[in-house]
């Protein structure tokens, strides 16, 4: 059984300080197989940037702005979903991977500033990606890579306007019209 639906809940985004990191949380979530990100803060620009990037690079990734974290967690659980909170205080990731892989619906919570204590209680798992301070972007990428049944680094996104062609030197990006011509 594999994870069918992953959503990332971003807590604690500080618009004046965390724009790039929150954007990178969304981009990492998308690139590693999540279907969307819930932003528990109000930053329409982040939502627009990630949505626009997703439309150019393919896939159906969504961003929902200014959500209530507790309400989203409750709704998720009511539909049978499980919740994994990434924290350096949780059980070690290798000890949680087999359970996380079994889930059909998984919400992954990543924080920015101090995470409210109730999040630790609402989560089905508090999972540590190492027990040292580091980036929530790194924690999300490592977790999603470990729980993926396929290689997220070679994923192909449908409806892409832009596609990178792996090359040993230089860089090659095909635009959608070039992709269509290559297929015919």
């Amino acid at each position: 059984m594999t994870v069918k639906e992953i959503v990332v809940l971003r807590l604690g985004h500080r618009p004046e300080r965390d724009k790039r990191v929150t954007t990178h949380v969304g981009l990492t979530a998308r690139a590693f197989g999540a279907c969307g990100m819930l932003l528990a803060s109000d930053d329409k620009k982040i939502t627009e940037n990630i949505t626009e990037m997703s439309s150019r690079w393919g896939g159906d990734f969504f961003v929902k702005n200014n959500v209530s974290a507790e309400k989203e967690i409750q709704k998720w659980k009511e539909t049978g979903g499980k919740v994994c909170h990434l924290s350096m205080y949780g059980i070690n990731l290798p000890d949680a991977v087999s359970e996380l892989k079994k889930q059909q619906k998984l919400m992954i919570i990543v924080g920015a500033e101090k995470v409210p204590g109730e999040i630790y209680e609402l989560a089905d798992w508090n999972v540590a990606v190492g027990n040292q301070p580091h980036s929530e972007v790194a924690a999300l990428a490592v977790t999603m890579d470990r729980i993926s049944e396929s290689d997220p680094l070679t994923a192909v996104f449908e409806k892409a306007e832009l596609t990178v062609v792996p090359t040993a030197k230089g860089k090659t990006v095909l635009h959608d019209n070039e992709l269509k011509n290559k297929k015919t």
Side-chain angles (χ1 to χ4, degrees), residues 123-166:
D124 296 294
W125 301 274
N126 292 290
V127 173
V129 181
N131 299 110
Q132 296 292 317
H134 63 80
S135 164
E136 59 269 32
V137 178
L140 178 61
V142 169
T143 300
M144 291 192 66
D145 183 63
R146 294 274 178 101
I147 67 173
S148 179
E149 292 296 324
S150 59
D151 187 351
L153 302 179
T154 59
V156 176
F157 290 85
E158 300 295 320
K159 302 180 276 185
E161 291 177 23
L162 302 170
T163 301
V164 172
V165 177

Side-chain angles (χ1 to χ4, degrees), residues 40-59:
S41 182
D42 187 15
D43 194 330
K44 291 178 184 84
K45 189 68 176 160
I46 294 283
T47 302
E48 291 168 9
N49 287 345
I50 295 172
T51 300
E52 188 274 331
M53 188 283 319
S54 294
S55 71
R56 290 182 31 231
W57 288 92

Side-chain angles (χ1 to χ4, degrees), residues 53-126:
M53 188 283 319
S54 294
S55 71
R56 290 182 31 231
W57 288 92
D60 293 320
F61 191 81
F62 70 86
V63 181
K64 189 173 173 187
N65 185 53
N66 203 22
V67 303
S68 162
E70 291 81 8
K71 285 181 183 174
E72 292 295 333
I73 293 168
Q74 287 305 108
K75 284 194 305 190
W76 190 260
K77 288 184 160 208
E78 287 168 6
T79 63
K82 295 291 187 173
V83 177
C84 171
H85 169 225
L86 299 182
S87 166
M88 67 185 212
Y89 304 108
I91 61 173
N92 291 318
L93 178 61
D95 298 329
V97 165
S98 64
E99 275 302 305
L100 296 175
K101 279 185 168 187
K102 293 177 188 175
Q103 304 313 309
Q104 294 296 300
K105 288 184 64 164
L106 184 63
M107 175 184 283
I108 300 176
I109 301 175
V110 294
E113 51 196 7
K114 185 171 171 50
V115 173
E118 56 267 15
I119 298 298
Y120 289 87
E121 297 302 319
L122 290 170
D124 296 294
W125 301 274
N126 292 290

